[in-house]
Amino acid sequence: MTAYIAKRLIAMVPVLFGLSIIVFMVMALIPGDTATAILGAYATPENVERINRDLGLDKPLVQQYFIWIGNVLHGDFGRSFTLNRPVLAEVMDRFGATLILAGTALVLCSLIGLLAGIVSAVRQFGWADRIITFVVLAGISMPSFWLGLLLILVFAVTWRVLPASGMYAVYGGGDLPDLLYHLILPAATLSVVAAGVIARLTRSAMLEVLRQDFIRTARAKGVSETRVIYAHAFRAAIVSVIPVIGIQAGFVLGGAVYIETVFQWPGIGAMMVKAISTRDILLVQGGVLVVAASYVLFNLMADVVQTMLDPRIRT
Amino acid sequence: MSLALQDNVTAPAGPQRISTFKLLLQSRLASIGLVILLLLVAIVLLAPLLPLVHPDQTAPANRLIRPFVTAAHWLGTDQLGRDLLSRLVWGSRVSIAVGFAATLVAALIGSVIGLVSGYAGGRTDNLMMRGIDMLMAFPYILLALAIVAALGPGLMNALYAIAIVNIPFFARNVRGVTLGLAHREFVDAARLSGKGHLSILWSEVLPNVAPVIVITMSTTAGWMILETAGLSFLGLGAQPPQADLGSMLGEGRAQLFTAPHVAIVPGLMIFVIVISLNLLGDGVRDALDPGLKSGALSRPGPVTRIDRTKPAPPNSQPEAILSIEQLETGFSNGNSTTPAVRGVSLHLDRGECLGLIGESGSGKSVTALSIMGLVASPPGVITGGAIYLDGEDVLSMPETRLISLRGSKVAYIFQDPLTTLHPTYTIGQQVAEAIAAHQSLGRRELRERAIALLEQVRIPDAAARADHYPHQLSGGQRQRVGIAMALANDPDVIIADEPTTALDVTVQAEILSLLKQLQTERRMALLFITHDFGVVAQICDRVAVMKDGEIVETGQTRTVLTRPHHPYTKRLIACVPEIGDGDRFLPRVEKLMASQTKEAAQ
Amino acid sequence: MTETLPQTLAHTPGTRRRAAAATPHALRLEHVSKTFGGGKRLFGRKHHAVEALKDVSLALTKGETLAVVGESGSGKSTLARILVGLERPSAGTIEIAGQDAEALTRQGPRAFGKTVQYVFQDPVASLNPRKTIREALEAPLKLLCGYDPEKRKARLGELMDAVDMPASTLSRYPHELSGGQAQRMAIARALAAEAEILVLDEPVSALDVSVQAQVLLLLERLKHQLNLSYLFISHDLAVVEAIADRVAVMHFGEVVELERAKTLFASPVHPYTEKLIGSAPRLNGGAGAVRM
């Protein structure tokens, strides 16, 4: 197992390398140059040239990349010109908030999704199944930012039971209960779509597995129906659900962009949206790179879990 | 002719083809989705002809009118006094157009990548898929954000970003199917028919991949509309004064507390569009996926449904350990039931081996599975008869009692030991579970008993093998595990359903002699289902011949094989080549066929 | 040779009769080996290599039925795929109807298809589920024989007659046919190419016994009518004995015994052959002497 994890970690290196190239290329191909963005439309040619030289933008692309990646590996992501502080510091400040939000949402959507999927499969065509199927369909068809606004309207404006925005109360607060209190609405909103996707997949995986020959074998052995469903069917179905949870982590991390904007959560998504509109390229670059790398790492964990659960891949 | 063996004489059954579209309309939800979607598309297409105010016409005096207040502004107005209804129609037009365009672009590029990658295989495949993996290594929306960041905010750029981000889904799905098809026999056959690679891709592979492309399109179109709206909501898509539903929502957000309808209405519209697309998409998927077509994806219950209209017939063989009386089992499809077993009566004496033989579709397996209610249900249903196990009717038992008798009194051995063993438990665990289902023992003792059973079925080095998973064993060894599980609780009856069909002939011989030996040692009754007369001759005391759900002949094995009574049995036995027949076999069959054709003509 | 041909097929101008080449062999394999995998990976580690065929030499005489028997993993299917050009041997030479297989490969798939054809084990899987039988049969007629539409129509009729199926079957889809019917269609497709050598890969294994007997009968009749040579691959010894002139026994990629059918079944020499024959179940009671 350790050897497997080591192998997967090594295999991550080219992926991260590829990621960095894509991120760099996307940013390098930006029409309109950074210098103009920094200095404004009325910059003098001399100033533009100076900025370009400072940022190394006058060198060939390949060289630029290696300078950049070299700096990145040393933790130097450059300096955000809009915030006038190092990109890494800003990204790390923000990333914690995003992780809290996305992590909570991922746990929530996995639990709800798996549970709803199992209930739906076991009670196929029953009332529970119909209600779950409908709720799930509605959930995955809803724009999450709209759902967020609706929840704010209901819980923060009309009922005034939950806060509409932010991570902590402005005056006082700052402790864990305060954080959880602020976390409820955004985390719930963020988990809706992913929970729906996981529930659908769990349902169909369960139904698929329940028709397999080995389920019939279990029944022929005289195993109780509860055991057939949980020890046999769910045990086999979870193997195909895990990779989807891995993919959903990506949707949750990406979806956080909307939710952070709606709930003014001080995360990395909201930061990037602002950075894009101010064309603070280095900030976008750093943000994308860090989030993508963490997603790669998460997918690795999902792979490892799946391998632990499925002996057929293990050997 | 009653002996419909000669399948070449009868013309193949007339085609009963249901068009995919009809199948789609059979689903109520999919039809609803289709109707809503068509209605919306019609409205947005006709937008220029509808009596609407210009969507960008501002009227500061009429700002933020609530919906349903004035007839002039039926859905109210926004912060600039623009008519919301008009903006909604025109905004939907943009959103739907961009969503569909992104879907088409992603489908086209992704499918081409998937087709080429899956068909070419090797290095090409590796290279292309690594590229796709790179794209997928980004969290979904983040990559779109990065692309928009690079290209600059704007509706077209949002379209490109969404399309690029969705290419991997198409590429992966299409590649998966193509990869499976590229090594299928019919592709090889086409190559041998003289077709080149392009022609095979276009005319053999693509038609089989097309459903997957359509399914992926119909399931991702909703996503793409949501994502485009999302980018616009963040201010990165449509730029003012142009508006799609997402940017309307984004602008309305500022008025959330004072005039929530400005944000709620466009969101509702997105919701309606996407949910109708998703309803339709699910319907399309169900209609195109052959596995789902027959409603096959319904969950089989723990026990076959029993729906007897007639009272249970009496037990005519009270001494027999197992006696089946006029069993009728069928498969229900909607309101009618297709019978598979029609009034089968059989009995199995203690310690006896009875062979149940028949060709495919004769109902032999269904008979065997009916005994302990293991016919998958739905669609299976037992419609009549009785099954007396040691004098007690199985079909009248409560469910819990029936389940408790499975494995303890009647055990099964199934055909393909790879699919019949659980892939993620070790064989030791699976044998132990068979014991634990009926006896409460400690962990330690369970394991010891399981290893002892594995030794009894002659699995070498059983203690170490017990920790192996089914896929690590050979076919013959897996079948031995199947036998060990059946023996776990010393059952009175073992039902073996084609237990050696998937095995090589030398392995088959070993398994048969093991089964025979165990059966005689333990004086168990064995019901042996097979299609092979040679196997019957080897281990069965008596044999019953089944055809079209009925038993046509029963008797001592030797008698049936040497002096078959029923013409069907005669014919069937004559068709079995045997070592030693040599070149006498074909002339014998030829004579038989000729005489039967003559009979049929008369 | 041609006197025995049925009216319909013999007088078809397109039915090319390849003049007997210098050798009487339809197929000849010399020291053929096939290894799968074993290539180097990116970091220099070697893939696990599987030797599917080890130094196989055998020849199929014109007009003969040579059976290749073996259990799963014996390499018999790999042998078949190599013979029809779907795989290429790692070593050794193959001659098909007097021509070098390498040369045929260079000429492209059509040259191969015109010389040797293949009948698959699973008849339904060998037909494209989304194409009618007519479309499946038209491809070789058009691409390999180069017939115009009218000629193709006539040939389709003849082919359906040859395999005893009504012409209405042409408009059917594969899933609308029974296993036996589908296998007849697959045989018709192989015949359509007008090759004289057929490689039959377990052609009756997926069929019920009564259907199996009919298909065997059909194959035997076609062989005589059209002067075909068969390489018949099977795991079923009884079937092989009924149809083969000579038998090659394969075990783990090697031919362990190659002998006339009568001799082989009467007095097997190799212990594996003996075990194989001994394991086959027999009707006349009692297990065949199972040696383990």
Side-chain angles (χ1 to χ4, degrees):
Chain A
M1 204 64 221
T2 328
Y4 174 80
I5 295 174
K7 214 168 88 186
R8 289 304 316 255
L9 277 172
I10 294 169
M12 248 178 74
V13 174
V15 176
L16 289 176
F17 186 64
L19 277 184
S20 71
I21 293 182
I22 295 180
V23 170
F24 177 80
M25 289 303 286
V26 166
M27 299 306 156
L29 294 177
I30 292 173
D33 58 313
T34 317
T36 320
I38 295 172
L39 299 171
Y42 302 107
T44 60
E46 298 83 55
N47 281 345
V48 167
E49 198 183 313
R50 191 178 48 92
I51 289 271
N52 276 342
R53 203 170 45 242
D54 285 355
L55 295 175
L57 295 175
D58 51 346
K59 303 205 173 67
L61 215 54
V62 180
Q63 204 180 339
Q64 276 185 48
Y65 170 74
F66 280 105
I67 294 171
W68 175 73
I69 192 78
N71 291 339
V72 164
L73 289 176
H74 286 102
D76 177 11
F77 283 67
R79 219 177 155 76
S80 156
F81 71 85
T82 50
L83 303 168
N84 197 22
R85 77 181 284 215
V87 166
L88 188 65
E90 174 71 11
V91 165
M92 281 306 152
D93 280 357
R94 298 286 198 135
F95 191 52
T98 298
L99 270 188
I100 292 174
L101 175 61
T104 314
L106 193 65
V107 171
L108 241 128
C109 73
S110 305
L111 290 179
I112 297 173
L114 287 172
L115 205 69
I118 295 174
V119 171
S120 203
V122 172
R123 303 256 172 270
Q124 194 193 11
F125 303 135
W127 277 109
D129 181 30
R130 278 181 213 192
I131 292 169
I132 290 172
T133 307
F134 179 76
V135 171
V136 160
L137 183 73
I140 62 171
S141 304
M142 222 177 261
S144 58
F145 39 91
W146 180 63
L147 178 65
L149 293 179
L150 289 186
L151 291 181
I152 290 177
L153 267 182
V154 173
F155 289 96
V157 179
T158 313
W159 292 349
R160 297 176 179 278
V161 286
L162 289 167
S165 65
M167 198 165 163
Y168 296 103
V170 183
Y171 302 107
D175 50 359
L176 188 66
D178 187 35
L179 173 64
L180 292 179
Y181 182 55
H182 280 81
L183 193 58
I184 296 174
L185 278 187
T189 314
L190 187 52
S191 61
V192 164
V193 175
V197 175
I198 292 171
R200 280 186 142 206
L201 194 100
T202 308
R203 178 180 187 267
S204 64
M206 283 291 284
L207 290 176
E208 180 72 38
V209 168
L210 279 166
R211 285 163 52 235
Q212 301 285 315
D213 288 351
F214 60 79
I215 296 296
R216 191 184 58 197
T217 308
R219 292 204 166 117
K221 289 200 279 195
V223 170
S224 73
E225 190 59 13
T226 321
R227 220 182 126 71
V228 165
I229 285 167
Y230 292 96
H232 287 258
F234 183 63
R235 180 69 179 75
I238 186 78
V239 171
S240 53
V241 177
I242 293 282
V244 174
I245 293 184
I247 293 173
Q248 288 314 304
F251 280 79
V252 168
L253 272 174
V257 172
Y258 303 134
I259 303 308
E260 286 173 7
T261 308
V262 170
F263 289 94
Q264 286 159 31
W265 189 266
I268 209 164
M271 174 201 87
M272 278 194 292
V273 173
K274 235 173 272 162
I276 291 173
S277 33
T278 53
R279 304 199 65 73
D280 191 344
I281 299 310
L282 289 178
L283 201 53
V284 178
Q285 218 172 26
V288 171
L289 203 61
V290 167
V291 177
S294 67
Y295 177 49
V296 170
L297 203 66
F298 185 83
N299 264 328
L300 175 101
M301 292 194 309
D303 273 7
V304 170
V305 171
Q306 194 199 9
T307 313
M308 279 180 350
L309 289 175
D310 191 347
R312 287 167 298 181
I313 318 177
R314 208 183 305 160
T315 38
Chain B
M1 72 187 247
S2 62
L3 304 169
L5 279 178
Q6 212 149 356
D7 69 342
N8 55 317
V9 176
T10 52
Q16 286 187 317
R17 297 170 201 150
I18 312 171
S19 78
T20 312
F21 188 66
K22 260 195 190 144
L23 215 58
L24 183 66
L25 291 186
Q26 276 175 13
S27 155
R28 193 152 32 102
L29 289 176
S31 311
I32 294 174
L34 184 68
V35 168
I36 297 177
L37 198 65
L38 285 178
L39 204 70
L40 288 175
V41 169
I43 290 174
V44 299
L45 281 179
L46 294 174
L49 304 177
L50 296 176
L52 293 169
V53 197
H54 191 278
D56 297 332
Q57 189 185 313
T58 56
N62 293 333
R63 288 166 45 228
L64 299 178
I65 297 178
R66 302 241 158 195
F68 316 121
V69 176
T70 61
H73 301 289
W74 196 61
L75 280 181
T77 56
D78 69 2
Q79 66 282 6
L80 296 177
R82 295 174 292 196
D83 180 51
L84 264 185
L85 180 64
S86 167
R87 284 180 71 71
L88 197 68
V89 172
W90 285 95
S92 304
R93 193 175 150 101
V94 175
S95 282
I96 292 177
V98 171
F100 283 4
T103 309
L104 281 178
V105 172
L108 191 71
I109 301 176
S111 303
V112 170
I113 293 176
L115 271 174
V116 171
S117 184
Y119 185 75
R123 250 169 238 275
T124 320
D125 179 36
N126 219 327
L127 203 72
M128 287 176 121
M129 280 306 119
R130 287 297 84 77
I132 293 294
D133 284 351
M134 287 300 165
L135 286 186
M136 291 199 89
F138 287 94
Y140 189 66
I141 298 152
L142 201 70
L143 183 59
L145 274 188
I147 294 168
V148 171
L151 300 177
L155 194 58
M156 279 317 275
N157 293 345
L159 191 160
Y160 298 142
I162 297 297
I164 292 173
V165 165
N166 279 285
I167 286 175
F169 291 93
F170 286 91
R172 284 202 149 186
N173 282 356
V174 170
R175 172 187 173 265
V177 182
T178 309
L179 203 62
L181 289 169
H183 298 286
R184 283 277 295 279
E185 287 94 330
F186 72 81
V187 170
D188 284 340
R191 203 164 297 157
L192 295 174
S193 297
K195 286 196 173 181
H197 289 306
L198 267 182
S199 160
I200 288 178
L201 255 183
W202 178 254
S203 71
E204 303 284 336
V205 177
L206 188 61
N208 287 289
V209 173
V212 176
I213 300 178
V214 174
I215 289 170
T216 315
M217 277 175 77
S218 63
T219 44
T220 50
W223 272 108
M224 299 212 208
I225 287 183
L226 276 183
E227 294 318 325
T228 337
L231 288 180
S232 292
F233 169 76
L234 296 174
L236 306 174
Q239 298 297 313
Q242 187 188 35
D244 70 348
L245 295 171
S247 61
M248 284 171 68
L249 219 173
E251 287 169 26
R253 209 183 125 215
Q255 281 75 45
L256 187 64
F257 300 121
T258 50
H261 70 276
V262 182
I264 290 177
V265 168
L268 197 62
M269 190 66 185
I270 300 175
F271 178 58
V272 171
I273 295 174
V274 175
I275 204 169
S276 64
L277 261 172
N278 283 341
L279 283 172
L280 181 65
D282 288 354
V284 168
R285 189 194 56 209
D286 291 354
L288 287 177
D289 191 331
L292 301 171
K293 238 177 211 179
S294 48
L297 208 60
S298 50
R299 167 179 119 77
V303 175
T304 311
R305 190 158 67 89
I306 299 164
D307 187 13
R308 285 187 290 191
T309 43
K310 291 163 282 185
N315 189 355
S316 63
Q317 305 281 341
E319 324 78 50
I321 178 72
L322 178 72
S323 159
I324 302 174
E325 299 286 350
Q326 295 158 46
L327 176 71
E328 288 171 24
T329 306
F331 294 101
S332 71
N333 38 354
N335 24 30
S336 70
T337 303
T338 318
V341 176
R342 316 158 187 242
V344 161
S345 298
L346 272 182
H347 73 275
L348 189 60
D349 291 326
R350 286 170 201 277
E352 160 188 62
C353 175
L354 172 69
L356 183 57
I357 191 164
E359 297 192 289
S360 46
S362 61
K364 56 190 190 302
S365 280
V366 181
T367 306
L369 291 173
S370 297
I371 296 171
M372 291 312 274
L374 285 172
V375 180
S377 162
V381 55
I382 295 174
T383 51
I387 294 165
Y388 293 99
L389 179 64
D390 218 358
E392 193 186 352
D393 184 14
V394 172
L395 302 183
S396 312
M397 284 177 192
E399 204 171 285
T400 45
R401 168 122 178 90
L402 172 54
I403 290 176
S404 73
L405 290 181
R406 287 175 179 170
S408 58
K409 223 160 162 120
V410 180
Y412 278 86
I413 303 170
F414 295 108
Q415 177 174 350
D416 183 350
L418 183 58
T419 58
T420 50
L421 292 176
H422 198 288
T424 67
Y425 290 116
T426 64
I427 57 167
Q429 288 173 324
Q430 299 194 46
V431 176
E433 187 189 32
I435 308 168
H438 302 284
Q439 310 172 35
S440 45
L441 296 172
R443 259 182 110 87
R444 186 67 135 334
E445 202 175 346
L446 271 178
R447 186 176 158 84
E448 277 164 15
R449 294 271 295 271
I451 292 171
L453 277 166
L454 290 174
E455 274 163 358
Q456 280 170 40
V457 294
R458 299 194 209 127
I459 287 193
D461 199 8
R465 281 276 159 181
D467 296 328
H468 284 180
Y469 290 94
H471 71 276
Q472 296 168 309
L473 272 57
S474 71
Q477 280 179 329
R478 283 195 287 261
Q479 197 51 290
R480 286 170 196 269
V481 175
I483 297 172
M485 293 196 307
L487 295 175
N489 300 291
D490 264 317
D492 296 331
V493 179
I494 287 191
I495 299 170
D497 189 359
E498 304 245 15
T500 58
T501 305
L503 306 175
D504 275 330
V505 56
T506 50
V507 182
Q508 163 172 299
E510 291 165 16
I511 297 284
L512 286 179
S513 74
L514 172 72
L515 258 182
K516 187 70 196 169
Q517 184 208 332
L518 291 168
Q519 185 236 337
T520 5
E521 272 174 19
R522 301 183 171 216
R523 300 229 351 105
M524 288 178 303
L526 178 62
L527 179 61
F528 197 99
I529 315 320
T530 182
H531 67 277
D532 190 335
F533 273 106
V535 171
V536 165
Q538 209 161 321
I539 78 164
C540 296
D541 306 312
R542 284 191 307 130
V543 61
V545 183
M546 243 185 124
K547 173 185 180 277
D548 295 338
E550 287 168 33
I551 299 225
V552 294
E553 183 164 4
T554 319
Q556 294 300 314
T557 305
R558 180 132 306 224
T559 321
V560 172
L561 289 181
T562 49
R563 292 190 304 278
H565 214 69
H566 195 275
Y568 175 79
T569 321
K570 274 185 198 164
R571 214 183 119 88
L572 212 54
I573 291 174
C575 284
V576 180
E578 206 189 346
I579 289 185
D581 279 355
D583 48 17
R584 290 187 301 278
F585 172 69
L586 284 177
R588 182 178 89 204
V589 173
E590 191 163 23
K591 229 169 76 193
L592 179 89
M593 298 287 172
S595 71
Q596 297 226 323
T597 320
K598 220 184 293 165
E599 263 173 46
Q602 279 163 5
Chain C
M1 264 166 86
T2 39
E3 301 87 351
T4 53
L5 287 171
Q7 288 276 308
T8 48
L9 288 162
H11 297 293
T12 311
T15 316
R16 289 165 304 107
R17 299 283 124 202
R18 198 177 297 280
T23 65
H25 293 308
L27 293 170
R28 203 157 65 111
L29 285 83
E30 302 239 8
H31 309 295
V32 170
S33 298
K34 175 74 187 176
T35 311
F36 288 105
K40 287 222 171 129
R41 267 208 285 231
L42 198 61
F43 297 113
R45 261 181 309 163
K46 273 186 106 176
H47 274 295
H48 182 62
V50 180
E51 271 188 278
L53 292 179
K54 298 176 205 161
D55 194 26
V56 171
S57 297
L58 46 82
L60 169 68
T61 319
K62 281 208 167 151
E64 146 184 82
T65 300
L66 172 65
V68 176
V69 281
E71 296 186 293
S72 47
S74 64
K76 53 191 197 306
S77 284
T78 308
L79 179 71
R81 292 177 61 83
I82 285 181
L83 286 174
V84 293
L86 289 173
E87 300 276 357
R88 295 178 69 176
S90 311
T93 53
I94 299 172
E95 231 174 62
I96 297 166
Q99 288 168 276
D100 185 46
E102 280 295 307
L104 275 178
T105 310
R106 276 194 294 277
Q107 287 171 48
R110 296 194 183 176
F112 241 108
K114 271 187 266 188
T115 332
V116 54
Q117 274 293 331
Y118 189 46
V119 175
F120 296 81
Q121 169 171 7
D122 183 348
V124 179
S126 78
L127 296 164
N128 189 335
R130 298 199 180 258
K131 297 203 148 189
T132 60
I133 299 302
R134 184 189 308 278
E135 289 171 294
L137 293 189
E138 287 244 332
L141 290 175
K142 190 164 144 192
L143 299 168
L144 295 177
C145 305
Y147 291 148
D148 56 53
E150 207 166 306
K151 173 82 187 157
R152 291 207 291 270
K153 205 174 160 205
R155 282 288 292 150
L156 282 174
E158 291 166 12
L159 285 167
M160 297 312 277
D161 283 348
V163 295
D164 293 333
M165 289 290 284
S168 62
T169 318
L170 286 169
S171 55
R172 298 278 185 265
Y173 284 93
H175 66 266
E176 294 164 355
L177 304 180
S178 71
Q181 292 166 338
Q183 194 56 294
R184 282 169 193 273
M185 291 304 102
I187 292 170
R189 176 175 53 193
L191 294 177
E194 294 169 13
E196 289 182 353
I197 308 165
L198 289 194
V199 174
L200 305 149
D201 189 0
E202 305 255 16
V204 294
S205 305
L207 309 176
D208 277 328
V209 275
S210 52
V211 183
Q212 164 179 307
Q214 290 165 43
V215 171
L216 287 175
L217 213 55
L218 170 73
L219 284 172
E220 192 64 12
R221 198 191 79 220
L222 290 171
K223 183 183 151 186
H224 290 297
Q225 280 178 352
L226 303 173
N227 202 27
L228 304 171
S229 313
Y230 287 161
L231 189 92
F232 189 97
I233 290 170
S234 179
H235 70 279
D236 188 332
L237 288 149
V239 166
V240 161
E241 198 196 4
I243 198 165
D245 300 312
R246 288 191 304 142
V247 182
V249 181
M250 288 193 72
H251 189 44
F252 290 124
E254 284 176 283
V255 174
V256 295
E257 193 162 357
L258 176 60
E259 191 47 80
R260 291 187 51 76
K262 279 208 168 74
T263 326
L264 184 111
F265 282 96
S267 47
V269 176
H270 195 278
Y272 178 70
T273 316
E274 220 176 325
K275 185 180 175 189
L276 215 50
I277 296 176
S279 301
R282 292 185 157 98
L283 284 190
N284 49 22
V290 182
R291 276 166 277 256
M292 277 179 274

